[in-house]
Amino acid sequence: MAMDLGGGGNKGKKSPQPDMNVTPLIDVVLVLLIIFMAMTPAAARKFWVHTPKQEKEEVAQPPADPQPPLVLSLATDGTLMVNSVTLTRQELPDRLRRMFAARTDHVLFFDAADDVPFALAVDAMDAAREGGAVTIATLTTPLTAAAAGAPPPPLPAAVPGGASTGQ
């Protein structure tokens, strides 16, 4: 640390004023700079990745589902339909029990018209639950042609390099 003993503006009084010595700070910064410059080439490592050779082949279409999904539709007037078969509220649980007995899954898709009262929709789902529906999935968009028995859309082709499309 340096000191200035000269009289600058104190009107005749000579008082010491400290000045900071930055030489040690610069020395330390330069030493760190040299260390980092020497370590940078050692830090840049190369990794070799061996990927399998890409062979393009057609992806076989999965077989069409022999059992179309069960869709419970509720119309504005309160009409219940299971896969286009009109049922009453009392017939629904018995009919669903028979349908689920022939299936391995107990999934039911529920589609109600937009202006159906909430209480009527809940009553229909309660009746479906009585019929053995374990999972009731509400539909927000209409089912595609796959529900009507048409084959599903083709699967996306493989992307070169082995990556999938991320669906």
Side-chain angles (χ1 to χ4, degrees), residues 72 78 80 86-98 123-124 126-128 130-131:
L72 173 63
L80 292 169
T86 304
L87 301 170
T88 63
R89 163 67 168 92
Q90 291 76 26
E91 296 172 338
L92 181 65
D94 293 331
R95 178 71 178 241
L96 285 178
R97 276 191 206 97
R98 286 182 293 184
D123 184 51
D126 285 342
E130 288 174 25

Side-chain angles (χ1 to χ4, degrees), residues 35-111:
I35 290 172
F36 286 129
M37 286 174 55
M39 293 303 294
T40 300
R45 298 176 190 257
K46 294 181 182 178
F47 294 102
W48 297 100
V49 177
H50 300 284
T51 57
K53 187 173 184 174
Q54 177 70 25
E55 295 180 17
K56 293 183 180 180
E57 62 182 61
E58 284 295 318
V59 177
Q61 294 292 333
D65 189 12
Q67 296 177 340
L70 290 178
V71 180
L72 173 63
S73 301
L74 180 61
T76 305
D77 59 355
T79 305
L80 292 169
M81 294 190 317
V82 176
N83 289 358
S84 302
V85 176
T86 304
L87 301 170
T88 63
R89 163 67 168 92
Q90 291 76 26
E91 296 172 338
L92 181 65
D94 293 331
R95 178 71 178 241
L96 285 178
R97 276 191 206 97
R98 286 182 293 184
M99 291 177 150
F100 285 135
R103 300 174 69 94
T104 58
D105 64 343
H106 292 275
V107 178
L108 178 73
F109 292 97
F110 180 68
D111 185 23

Side-chain angles (χ1 to χ4, degrees), residues 12-35:
K13 289 186 178 179
K14 306 258 183 185
S15 63
Q17 295 188 353
D19 287 334
M20 180 178 272
N21 187 3
V22 293
T23 304
L25 176 66
I26 292 173
D27 290 343
V28 169
V29 169
L30 288 176
V31 168
L32 287 174
L33 178 66
I34 292 170
I35 290 172

